[in-house]
Amino acid sequence: MIPQNRRIGKRLIEQVIKDGKSLYSPYLTLKILPTEGPSLWGFVVSKKVSKKAVERNFIKRRARYIVRKNINKLADGYLYVMIFKPEARHLTFNELEQEVVKLLPINK
């Protein structure tokens, strides 16, 4: 799980979606907005993806784990919001990890 102090609140999510730079994949959109301080994360899985909260939460848990694994490779000073598309529901963990890592601005 991503620590509580690294998560975005609802108001900031709306601001990032409105003003952030977008990176696209067939399964998700990553919105990035520069800020001061540590990077903060938000995850959005709408009811268009699945009507069942269990399935939406499952996708978010997987994404949080993938981000937590790679959080040390990412630069600080950004707000990140991952917005999942309905096609993401059918991905295996490894396929989702490849899609997320492909979009993340990882420092190598």
Side-chain angles (χ1 to χ4, degrees):
M1 212 39 135
I2 294 178
Q4 188 70 35
N5 62 349
R6 300 291 289 245
R7 296 188 199 166
I8 296 180
K10 186 174 181 179
R11 285 197 176 124
L12 275 178
I13 286 179
E14 292 170 357
Q15 180 185 356
V16 173
I17 290 172
K18 179 181 167 199
D19 300 330
K21 176 185 168 193
S22 300
L23 301 172
Y24 299 100
S25 142
Y27 304 102
L28 64 116
T29 300
L30 179 64
K31 295 279 197 166
I32 302 173
L33 186 65
T35 188
E36 295 179 12
S39 291
L40 302 177
W41 288 89
F43 302 89
V44 177
V45 183
S46 74
K47 286 188 179 178
K48 290 179 184 177
V49 175
S50 175
K51 300 271 187 230
K52 297 179 181 179
V54 171
E55 291 178 6
R56 294 192 309 269
N57 291 335
F58 184 68
I59 293 169
K60 285 191 271 188
R61 277 195 309 272
R62 284 180 162 189
R64 285 186 191 119
Y65 178 77
I66 293 165
V67 168
R68 188 182 72 196
K69 268 179 42 176
N70 295 291
I71 204 162
N72 294 331
K73 300 175 190 173
L74 299 169
D76 276 342
Y78 292 95
L79 302 175
Y80 298 96
V81 175
M82 280 189 195
I83 305 167
F84 291 88
K85 298 177 183 176
E87 295 81 15
R89 177 179 58 199
H90 305 293
L91 294 178
T92 65
F93 178 79
N94 290 332
E95 292 168 341
L96 182 63
E97 184 173 27
Q98 289 172 358
E99 289 296 318
V100 170
V101 170
K102 189 177 0 174
L103 288 183
L104 291 176
I106 293 179
N107 297 333
K108 295 181 180 179

